[in-house]
Amino acid sequence: MTGRLDVALDELSEYLECDVEARQKVKSALTYPMAIFVMSIATVVILVAWVLPRFTSFFEELDAELPLPTRMLLDRMILRTPLICENGRFSPWSASAG
């Protein structure tokens, strides 16, 4: 390929264009699944941190035996106690508790 710099640069240019196009297609293909994943995580966090603790009294009134994972979630202190901002830090425990 001695003396054929123009051909080599043309091939390199075509290769790089194909590479950029493939990267754009991959990014485009992953955008929707990533958005769905993020929204799913946000939904689970909201349900576990806000909705499920609101049903605690309802479950206690029923005196029903809850499944172990549900009991574990309900027994978590952070889910029953609101976050309190102390000295610029969020803490699930109040200053008087410990």
Side-chain angles (χ1 to χ4, degrees):
M1 294 215 36
T2 306
R4 308 209 60 207
L5 183 59
D6 59 336
V7 175
L9 290 177
D10 284 341
E11 290 178 6
L12 179 61
S13 173
E14 288 177 21
Y15 171 77
L16 291 175
E17 287 174 1
C18 289
D19 186 53
V20 168
E21 186 178 325
R23 287 177 189 260
Q24 289 174 345
K25 285 182 181 181
V26 168
K27 284 182 184 178
S28 175
L30 291 178
T31 300
Y32 181 73
M34 186 57 71
I36 296 298
F37 177 73
V38 168
M39 293 304 293
S40 299
I41 296 298
T43 302
V44 168
V45 167
I46 289 170
L47 286 174
V48 169
W50 190 72
V51 175
L52 190 60
R54 303 247 189 262
F55 284 99
T56 303
S57 61
F58 175 73
F59 291 142
E60 289 172 355
E61 288 175 9
L62 288 177
D63 287 331
E65 182 69 24
L66 297 173
L68 180 62
T70 306
R71 286 185 305 210
M72 290 171 63
L73 284 174
L74 290 175
D75 288 340
R76 299 291 301 177
M77 180 61 132
I78 196 168
L79 296 178
R80 291 187 178 185
T81 306
L83 292 175
I84 299 169
C85 184
E86 297 174 5
N87 301 327
R89 293 183 177 160
F90 285 102
S91 170
W93 300 278
S94 65
S96 61

